[in-house]
Amino acid sequence: MKVPDGGNQETIIVIDNIKTKKKLVDSKEGKYQFEVQLEVKASLGNKVNDQTYNQLLRETKENLSKEIKDLFQLGVEEGIDFLDLGHILYRNDFKSWEKDKENYLAKSEVEVRADVTIQHASAFKNKRFEELKERGKTD
């Protein structure tokens, strides 16, 4: 995944492992609020600028959230449930699903929460960021 730095350069983050959890937060008044939680383990593929570790984490989280929300919005426009939210609605609020099974996507909103851990960097091959922090090599 490319992570922009606000300028022309982009850092490449390699996602090694991702776990997702989806849940229905609210289903009142014919509106559906879903939450998608991401737990991501990643490594730094190519760092081309002076971003700190915390900046990379923040920008990676923002980029992941934006991509999931964009995918959801594309699904709403095309009538495709890419995130399988209908199944979550079916399991948690069958009456609402039965009433709105044809158009629940248009009545839905998605909040994305991402927890990202960048485990190592290509420049410090096989060294964990936690070890580098202890030595003062990252912010």
Side-chain angles (χ1 to χ4, degrees), residues 75-136:
V76 170
E77 292 167 8
E78 298 294 326
I80 301 169
D81 188 1
F82 289 117
L83 302 178
D84 199 23
L85 300 177
H87 181 74
I88 305 299
L89 182 61
Y90 174 85
R91 290 285 179 206
N92 292 283
D93 190 350
F94 181 76
K95 288 181 183 180
S96 294
W97 176 83
E98 195 169 42
K99 182 179 83 172
D100 288 329
K101 62 184 169 188
E102 298 300 322
N103 63 346
Y104 66 90
L105 272 178
K107 297 179 178 185
S108 297
E109 294 179 7
V110 171
E111 181 68 30
V112 180
R113 298 192 191 288
D115 180 29
V116 177
T117 303
I118 300 175
Q119 296 179 316
H120 55 83
S122 59
F124 300 105
K125 222 176 213 176
N126 298 322
K127 296 209 184 220
R128 300 260 179 231
F129 264 110
E130 293 80 24
E131 295 172 22
L132 297 173
K133 279 184 183 177
E134 291 173 10
R135 296 180 188 153

Side-chain angles (χ1 to χ4, degrees), residues 4-86:
D5 69 349
N8 314 5
Q9 299 177 336
E10 295 178 329
T11 298
I12 296 175
I13 300 290
V14 178
I15 296 175
D16 298 321
N17 188 359
I18 187 166
K19 294 180 183 177
T20 61
K21 291 182 183 177
K22 299 172 276 190
K23 67 180 180 178
L24 178 65
V25 177
D26 191 12
S27 64
K28 295 179 183 169
E29 302 170 12
K31 300 261 183 192
Y32 307 108
Q33 179 70 38
F34 294 93
E35 181 178 273
V36 177
Q37 298 173 338
L38 305 171
E39 185 179 317
V40 177
K41 305 275 189 227
S43 59
L44 195 55
N46 180 27
K47 187 174 182 205
V48 293
N49 50 36
D50 293 331
Q51 292 168 301
T52 64
Y53 178 76
N54 289 334
Q55 288 173 323
L56 279 172
L57 282 179
R58 184 179 61 252
E59 291 166 3
T60 302
K61 288 177 186 181
E62 289 172 3
N63 203 25
L64 278 170
S65 295
K66 182 183 180 313
E67 286 195 22
I68 297 293
K69 287 180 180 181
D70 288 349
L71 180 66
F72 169 73
Q73 191 57 43
L74 176 65
V76 170
E77 292 167 8
E78 298 294 326
I80 301 169
D81 188 1
F82 289 117
L83 302 178
D84 199 23
L85 300 177

